[in-house]
């Protein structure tokens, strides 16, 4: 009888040892699965962010948010621009320029010549002109009207007066200016109610159009501000790309950037803009291919670690 008790005790002890061993064996396996799960989630989040840089994703977001209102927005902006221009021409005998010109006073001779050369090359490039959609404001690219000004002098009140930029125009552009962009276009455009309320509080007597929109320029001609660092021969390609971008804005086209867009500009949602950039900058195409590849790679790695996180060790 004693032998049976000893045998039962031995089997119980062996069973407890086996359970302890299996528990210790399963602990690192559970830890590995948690690690794989964390990797899968992290890679998937990064993949979503990378996918947000693919042009077709940005265009899709723009087609839902901006394209339905684009034609009406451009129409309103064009009306405001022409209204301010007509009023200016009625007050002045000197006609407003109808082409792209650098400011004659605020740029030195070297900067003036470089901007003029880059502008002419962009405006007269047949490949770019053929891709420029006339559906923006109905005006061809080669008839773009704008005055190029030094962005680094925008904070000076006296220089702004020389540029023909109103105080309302400065306040409306200040948020973008504070981000130190390569280029910035100040133009007549519709205004939201919050900004209108703010401007009416700060400058109730600022010049307005007939519908109460504060005027941003003296004569209705868009002002394209350029950062000093890109106005040199070493950044010539970057200067041309910046000018093309701002020329599109000068044709009353608004910018739009989805939340996940960390790389592309606020015009990437436009098919016509992408077509022009493809012809002017081969790196623009390569960048898109790279994001496609990284997105595919990220999805494969997400699937791999998701599988490892759910698989049990069968060895």
């Amino acid at each position: 009888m004693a032998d049976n008790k000893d045998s039962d005790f031995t089997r119980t002890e062996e069973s407890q040892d086996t359970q302890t061993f299996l528990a210790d064996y399963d602990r690192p396996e559970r830890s590995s699965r948690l690690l794989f799960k964390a990797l899968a989630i992290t890679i998937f989040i990064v993949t979503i962010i990378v996918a947000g840089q693919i042009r077709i994703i940005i265009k899709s977001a723009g087609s839902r948010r901006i394209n339905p209102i684009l034609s009406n927005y451009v129409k309103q902006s064009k009306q405001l621009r022409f209204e301010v221009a007509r009023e200016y021409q009625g007050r002045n005998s000197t006609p407003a320029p109808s082409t792209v010109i650098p400011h004659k006073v605020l740029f030195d001779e070297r900067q003036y010549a470089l901007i003029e050369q880059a502008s002419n090359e962009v405006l007269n490039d047949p490949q770019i002109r053929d891709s420029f959609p006339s559906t923006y404001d109905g005006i061809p690219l080669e008839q773009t009207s704008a005055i190029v000004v030094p962005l680094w002098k925008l904070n000076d009140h006296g220089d702004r007066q020389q540029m023909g930029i109103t105080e309302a125009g400065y306040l409306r552009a200040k948020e973008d200016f504070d981000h130190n962009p390569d280029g910035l276009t100040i133009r007549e455009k519709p205004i939201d109610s919050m900004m209108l309320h703010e401007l009416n509080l700060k400058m109730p007597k600022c010049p307005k159009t007939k519908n109460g929109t504060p005027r941003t320029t003296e004569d209705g001609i868009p002002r394209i501000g350029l950062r000093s660092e890109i106005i040199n021969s070493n950044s010539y390609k970057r200067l041309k790309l910046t000018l093309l971008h701002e020329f599109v804005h000068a044709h009353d086209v608004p910018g739009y950037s989805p939340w996940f867009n960390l790389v592309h500009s606020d015009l990437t949602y436009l098919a016509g803009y992408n077509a022009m950039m493809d012809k002017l900058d081969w790196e623009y195409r390569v960048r898109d291919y790279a994001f496609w590849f990284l997105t595919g790679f990220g999805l494969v790695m997400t699937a791999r670690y998701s599988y490892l996180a759910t698989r049990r060790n069968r060895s």
Side-chain angles (χ1 to χ4, degrees):
M1 194 71 175
D3 291 341
N4 288 338
K5 289 182 177 179
D6 291 342
S7 178
D8 290 342
F9 177 77
T10 301
R11 283 196 297 271
T12 301
E13 190 177 47
E14 289 176 351
S15 177
Q16 291 175 345
D17 290 342
T18 301
Q19 291 175 358
T20 302
F21 171 76
L22 291 176
D24 291 340
Y25 178 80
D26 193 45
R27 191 172 293 115
E29 185 181 338
R30 289 199 303 271
S31 177
S32 296
R33 289 203 301 271
L34 286 174
L35 176 61
F36 291 144
K37 185 177 182 180
L39 284 171
I41 293 173
T42 301
I43 293 174
F44 181 70
I45 292 173
V46 173
T47 300
I48 292 297
I49 295 174
V50 171
Q53 316 313 308
I54 297 175
R55 279 193 269 162
I56 193 171
I57 303 295
I58 298 173
K59 287 193 291 183
S60 175
S63 66
R64 294 193 303 271
R65 294 289 302 276
I66 300 298
N67 287 350
I69 63 171
L70 180 59
S71 60
N72 189 49
Y73 178 95
V74 171
K75 181 181 178 181
Q76 291 182 48
S77 298
K78 186 177 178 181
Q79 288 174 343
L80 292 171
R81 173 159 50 103
F82 283 4
E83 179 185 333
V84 175
R86 283 194 299 269
E87 185 179 340
Y88 174 81
Q89 290 167 4
R91 299 193 315 266
N92 297 271
S93 57
T94 305
S98 58
T99 184
V100 176
I101 59 170
H103 198 281
K104 296 183 180 298
V105 176
L106 297 175
F107 287 116
D108 61 36
E109 290 184 7
R110 181 194 61 82
Q111 292 171 329
Y112 187 98
L114 202 63
I115 295 170
E116 189 175 45
Q117 178 184 345
S119 298
N120 289 334
E121 287 184 13
V122 172
L123 295 174
N124 297 313
D125 188 321
Q127 286 189 315
I128 297 175
R129 287 191 310 191
D130 291 344
S131 300
F132 188 83
S134 59
T135 53
Y136 290 157
D137 61 355
I139 300 173
L141 176 65
E142 59 269 27
Q143 295 180 21
T144 301
S145 177
I147 298 175
V148 183
V149 298
L151 194 57
W152 63 93
K153 295 189 176 185
L154 195 61
N155 278 328
D156 186 272
H157 175 73
D159 288 336
R160 286 198 301 275
Q161 285 186 318
Q162 276 207 354
M163 295 179 197
I165 297 172
T166 68
E167 292 307 296
Y170 170 65
L171 287 177
R172 292 183 69 175
K174 196 173 187 314
E175 182 178 350
D176 293 329
F177 171 73
D178 289 341
H179 290 111
N180 197 26
D182 283 349
L184 174 68
T185 299
I186 298 176
R187 60 186 177 83
E188 310 302 331
K189 57 185 177 180
I191 188 171
D192 61 73
S193 57
M194 290 184 61
M195 176 62 78
L196 179 60
H197 179 69
E198 180 183 348
L199 288 176
N200 284 333
L201 287 177
K202 290 182 177 179
M203 45 184 67
K205 296 183 179 180
C206 67
K208 297 181 175 67
T209 60
K210 292 177 182 178
N211 68 356
T213 302
R215 288 167 39 183
T216 59
T217 64
E218 179 184 330
D219 50 17
I221 298 175
R223 265 50 175 192
I224 296 176
L226 295 179
R227 193 152 63 106
S228 61
E229 287 80 358
I230 69 169
I231 311 176
N232 61 72
S233 55
N234 293 329
S235 301
Y236 190 65
K237 178 181 176 181
R238 187 172 163 191
L239 173 61
K240 289 177 64 176
L241 294 174
T242 302
L243 283 170
L244 175 60
H245 181 99
E246 301 308 326
F247 289 165
V248 177
H249 282 309
H251 283 262
D252 300 318
V253 179
Y256 169 70
S257 292
W259 286 352
F260 286 145
N261 179 20
L262 306 175
V263 175
H264 293 292
S265 74
D266 63 354
L267 290 176
T268 305
Y269 74 95
L270 292 168
Y273 176 76
N274 289 320
M276 289 186 292
M277 290 294 290
D278 281 341
K279 293 175 180 177
L280 196 62
D281 184 15
W282 64 269
E283 295 176 0
Y284 195 72
R285 297 190 301 274
V286 172
R287 193 182 307 134
D288 200 47
Y289 298 148
F291 286 127
W292 273 110
F293 172 79
L294 291 173
T295 299
F297 180 75
L299 291 174
V300 169
M301 296 304 294
T302 298
R304 170 179 168 76
Y305 284 117
S306 296
Y307 167 73
L308 292 174
T310 57
R311 187 191 67 163
R312 296 191 66 85
N313 194 333
R314 299 178 182 178
S315 59

